[in-house]
Amino acid sequence: MHHDIRYRLAAGLMGLSAVIHLPVAALDFASYGVSMIVGAALWSVLGLGVWRGWRWCAWLGFLGLAFGLSVAIAGAMGTFGLLATLFLAMALTDLAGAAVLFTLLWRAPGPRSNAA
């Protein structure tokens, strides 16, 4: 398990993204409700794994955040007003989380103990 503070930062950003999903679902449930609730649940579960330092959750989270970034940008471009602002906030949060995870995943993992 990794005890790098950046895992907790990435998990926090994933949690923030999950929270931002909920008002989008509430404001336009017919268009975005189910996908936003599923997204919030997914980020919450993966964020907990990243918080614990599980590298496989970090990989899934990175891929998901990269995909979510493109979806959030498309959502911001397809709406206006408060929904567009929420999608933009989601995109920026996803970008920041993906950037933190990128730096964690593309460096060598920490040293492992050889204790038997």
Side-chain angles (χ1 to χ4, degrees), residues 4 16 22 38 45 50 57 63 76 79 88 94 116:
D4 194 325
L16 179 59
L22 299 177
V38 169
V45 170
V50 171
C57 280
L63 294 173
T79 59
L88 182 58
D94 288 354

Side-chain angles (χ1 to χ4, degrees), residues 10-112:
L13 289 166
M14 293 172 79
L16 179 59
S17 182
V19 168
I20 297 170
H21 280 69
L22 299 177
V24 173
L27 289 172
D28 193 356
F29 191 84
S31 298
Y32 304 109
V34 173
S35 62
M36 291 295 120
I37 291 170
V38 169
L42 180 65
W43 291 150
S44 297
V45 170
L46 285 175
L48 288 173
V50 171
W51 182 269
R52 295 191 60 142
W54 295 345
R55 203 162 167 87
W56 66 272
C57 280
W59 278 105
L60 291 176
F62 172 75
L63 294 173
L65 287 169
F67 176 75
L69 172 62
S70 63
V71 171
I73 290 171
M77 293 173 59
T79 59
F80 55 91
L82 183 56
L83 276 176
T85 303
L86 288 168
F87 275 119
L88 182 58
M90 194 182 308
L92 292 173
T93 305
D94 288 354
L95 176 63
V100 171
L101 288 175
F102 180 85
T103 62
L104 286 168
L105 294 170
W106 269 269
R107 65 178 175 85
R112 297 186 183 240

